[in-house]
């Protein structure tokens, strides 16, 4: 398998501020950032000292979280999955690098990304827009 690690849980939220407060107050999470840009809210919360980091966001559709795995070579990993019959639902650039998301027949959501910009989290760390 092409996966290096599960870096993020991308979790849909109807109220990012309230859900963020819950993760901090109830579970002892640490807020890394809370960003609002273009009508979209995203908060990163850490519950452990290592991955995965939790991203609560109001722009992910549906109720299922997306498991976001880091890969060495995004293009090669996507090509490999296509050969196995998987087609990406969406391919885009996230702040960290290229990313493609997939949905299993059972509705589970997995995304692959290549870490091209490791400095991104440090750039956003401490930002509190809400």
């Amino acid at each position: 398998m092409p996966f290096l690690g599960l870096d993020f849980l991308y979790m849909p939220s109807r109220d990012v501020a309230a859900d963020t407060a819950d993760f901090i107050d109830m579970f002892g999470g640490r807020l890394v950032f809370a960003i609002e840009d273009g009508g979209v809210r995203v908060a990163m919360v850490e519950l452990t000292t290592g991955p995965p980091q939790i991203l609560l966001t109001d722009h992910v559709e549906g109720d299922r979280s997306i498991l976001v795995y880091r890969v060495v070579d995004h293009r090669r990993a996507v090509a490999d999955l296509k050969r196995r019959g998987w087609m990406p639902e969406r391919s885009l650039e996230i702040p960290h690098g290229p990313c493609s998301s997939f949905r299993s027949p059972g509705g589970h959501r997995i995304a692959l990304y290549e870490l091209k910009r490791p400095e991104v989290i440090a750039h956003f760390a401490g930002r509190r827009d809400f």
Side-chain angles (χ1 to χ4, degrees), residues 88-100:
E89 272 193 326
R90 186 171 181 204
S91 292
L92 65 151
E93 280 285 324
I94 62 173
H96 301 86
C99 181
S100 294

Side-chain angles (χ1 to χ4, degrees), residues 3 15 18 24 29 36 46 54 67-69 76 79 88 100 108 117 125-127:
F3 307 129
D15 185 338
I24 292 167
E36 184 167 10
E46 293 178 331
I54 295 170
L67 306 175
V68 184
Y69 288 90
R76 183 175 291 159
S100 294
H108 299 284
R117 294 176 287 278
R127 184 168 162 182

Side-chain angles (χ1 to χ4, degrees), residues 34-42 58 127-130:
I35 297 172
E36 184 167 10
D37 188 18
V40 172
R41 285 184 162 189
V42 179
D58 59 6
R127 184 168 162 182
R128 308 281 192 277
D129 294 350
F130 58 92

